[in-house]
Amino acid sequence: MRLPIPVSQLKKKLIQGNLITPERFDALVEEGDRKNQNIIDILVSQKIAEAYYLNNLLATSLGVELADLSIRPIDEKMVRMLAEDIARQRQVILFNRDENGVFYAAMGDPSDLETITFLTQHLKAKIKPFLATNEDLNRGFAIYGEESAQNFKKIIEEQIQASLVSQTKTIEEAAALLPIVAIVEGLLSFAISSRASDIHLEILEDVTMIRYRVDGILYEIMRIPKAIHPAVIARLKLLSALKIDEHYKPQDGRFRYKIVNQIVDVRVSVMPTFYGEKVEMRLLEATQKPLSLEELGMMPPVAQMVMRNLQNAYGMILSCGPTGSGKTTTLYSLMNILNRPEVNIVTTEDPIEYNMRYVNQTQINVQAGVTFASSLRAFLRQDPNIIMVGEIRDAETANIAVQAALTGHLLLSSLHTNDAPTAMPRFFDLGVPPFLVSSVMNLVVAQRLVRKICQTCVYSYSAGPELQKVILEQLTELHVEVSHFKSPKVLYRGKGCTSCGGTGYRGRFGLFEVLEITDKIKKLIADPAFSLDALRVESMKSGMKTMFEDGLEKVGLALTTIEEVLRVIKE
C-alpha cells in the first residue's frame, strides 16, 4: 500500500514531534527504496513510532478519521454493494451509511480522488472516506468469503459437468479445455481469497478430494469426479512446465498466478500414489515483505537478544523446528535486518521462497550438481560477509558451514530439532566435533506456529482447575520452576465470525525458545561428558524461556488460546 501523503510531509511531522532527526529519516527512506519497502513499515520495525500513532498522524494529515474496523461496526449489506474484485482493486471497503445516505468508505488511500469519484457515480451518493490499515481492509474482504464459497462451488460444479460431456482425444486437449482451465482458476482464486497456504489434490479410489490448509489446519473443501482428475493434473503440469506424459516419477515446478492486484507464486509438487498422481501446491505471495521480529511473534526481550547477536561479524545463528514451523520466514526476517549496502549476502535455498533485493540467491539443483555443500564451497570464493544455507541436513554441509562461520562469516541456517538445546547433539550426530560447535555457535532459535485469536470475536472466560492442572503438569515436564508460577485465571478464545470463517482464529505467529550461547554454555557443549539435561538446566538459568512459557505469556495477552499452545507443544 502506497503512502497516502508526500514523504516530505511525513518527515516534517515526525521531526516536529522529536521522533527522528532529518538525517535518520532520509537514511530510512533510502533503505526503504533499496529494499522496496514502505517507509511506514520501516518506521514501525525500527521502533521510531507505533503503527497506531503513525496511522493517526496520516489520518490527521489527510483530514479524515481512522476506519478502525476492529471497533466500528461493519454492515455486511453495505460491503456487498461493491463487487469484490472492484473493492480489492481499489483497496476500499464500504462499511456503513449514515442517516443522510452518505456511504462510509474505508480506503487504503483516502486521497485517491479517482476512486472517490467512481464510488460517488457508482452509488449515486456522497462518500465519506476513512483511512484504512491493511488489517481493516482484510476484515472487510473476509465478508466476501461466505458468498465467494457458494459461488465457487456452484461454478466448479458447472464446469465439472461441462468437462464430463466434452469429447477429447488426448490428455493435452483435455487440459486446454475451457471447463478444465476454469476449474483450476477457481481452485486457485478461492484458495487465495480463503488465505490458504497450501492446496492438496488427493486422488482416492472413487473421487478426488480437494483440501486447503488455512492457518496451519487442513480443511476439506470439496470432492470432484475422478474422471476429470487426469485433465486437472495435466493443466497444472502445463502451467508448471512439467512433463505431461510422466506419471511414475515425482516432479516439482512452479508458476505465477495473478488475481486482481495480487501476485502469487505457486510451488507445485506432483507425486505418484496408488490410485494416481497427488498434487500439492504451496501459495507464496510474490510481493510479501519480510516480517519484523515483533510481527513474527517475538516478545521484546527475545527480539533484543536476537538483534544483539545479529551484530556479530562471524559465527552461526540457527533456526530450529519441525517442517512447517516458520523457520524459513524467520531466516528471511533476519536477512532483511542484515541487508545493508556495505555487506555481501549470499544464500543457497531449496526452493527460493521469496525474492530479496540485493541478496544473491542460489536455487539448489541436484541434477546439475548444485547442492547445499557445493554451493557453500563456491560461496567462500565470492567474498561474502553473510551466508544463508536453507537447511543443514548432512555431515558435509554441517562441516563446511562450521568452517565458514569460524573464518569470518556470519552464517544463518535451519535445522530440524524439537527445541533449542537439541541443536547441539544434532551437530554431534552430523560429525562436527563438540569443541568446534561451542566455538562457532552464537544463537539458536527454536519455534512453532500457533493460530492467532480473531480480534473481531475474541472473548474471555475463567480457567477451570483442570486446565490449570494441565498447565502445571506441562511446566513440570519441561523442568521449569513452578513454585512461584501463577497459573492464568482468565483465558481467551474466539467465538467465530465472518472475519475468521467461523474458526475463532485468523492468522498465525510464532512461539519462540531462544538459546544464547554464553561462556558457561560453551563449556557444557565442549565437555567430553556432555549432558543434554544439564544444558537445558543451564539454558533456563541463563534466561532462556521455553516455548511453552512463551506461549503462556501470549495466552495471557489474548493473542492465542491455551488449546493452541498445548497442541503445538505436544506435536
Side-chain angles (χ1 to χ4, degrees), residues 21 43 46 98 105 117 129 141 179 233 253 256 260-261 284 330 333 341 343 363 366 447 458 471 478 482 498 542:
T21 63
L43 289 167
Q46 294 283 336
D98 69 14
T117 302
F141 294 149
I233 300 301
R256 181 160 281 191
V260 192
N261 60 342
L284 302 163
T330 297
S333 295
V343 297
Q363 168 71 52
V366 178
Q447 66 183 88
V458 62
I471 292 171
L478 292 167
V482 297
T498 309
S542 66

Side-chain angles (χ1 to χ4, degrees), residues 21-84:
T21 63
E23 296 76 17
R24 177 67 171 148
F25 185 89
D26 292 341
L28 291 180
V29 169
E30 186 179 335
E31 180 182 344
D33 290 341
R34 202 177 74 85
K35 294 182 180 179
N36 197 27
Q37 289 182 338
N38 189 302
I39 182 61
I40 294 294
D41 294 329
I42 296 260
L43 289 167
V44 172
S45 66
Q46 294 283 336
K47 295 185 174 58
I48 305 298
E50 296 289 336
Y52 189 77
Y53 173 86
L54 291 170
N55 288 325
N56 264 308
L57 188 150
L58 293 176
T60 303
S61 300
L62 291 164
V64 300
E65 298 176 46
L66 269 180
D68 206 353
L69 297 186
S70 61
I71 298 173
R72 295 182 192 269
I74 302 176
D75 187 327
E76 295 187 15
K77 289 182 180 178
M78 295 296 110
V79 173
R80 293 195 174 97
M81 290 189 73
L82 198 62
E84 182 180 5

Side-chain angles (χ1 to χ4, degrees), residues 383-413:
D383 186 31
N385 300 101
I386 297 160
I387 301 172
M388 195 278 270
V389 180
E391 184 185 343
I392 294 175
R393 59 174 70 149
D394 57 68
E396 186 181 14
T397 306
N399 280 280
I400 300 171
V402 166
Q403 292 301 322
L406 279 171
T407 53
H409 307 95
L410 183 62
L411 190 134
L412 313 177
S413 191

Side-chain angles (χ1 to χ4, degrees), residues 78 81 94 96-97 101-105 123 125-128:
M78 295 296 110
M81 290 189 73
L94 298 175
N96 218 321
R97 192 178 190 181
V102 177
F103 283 92
Y104 291 175
L123 299 167
K126 289 184 178 180
I127 304 297
K128 182 179 179 180

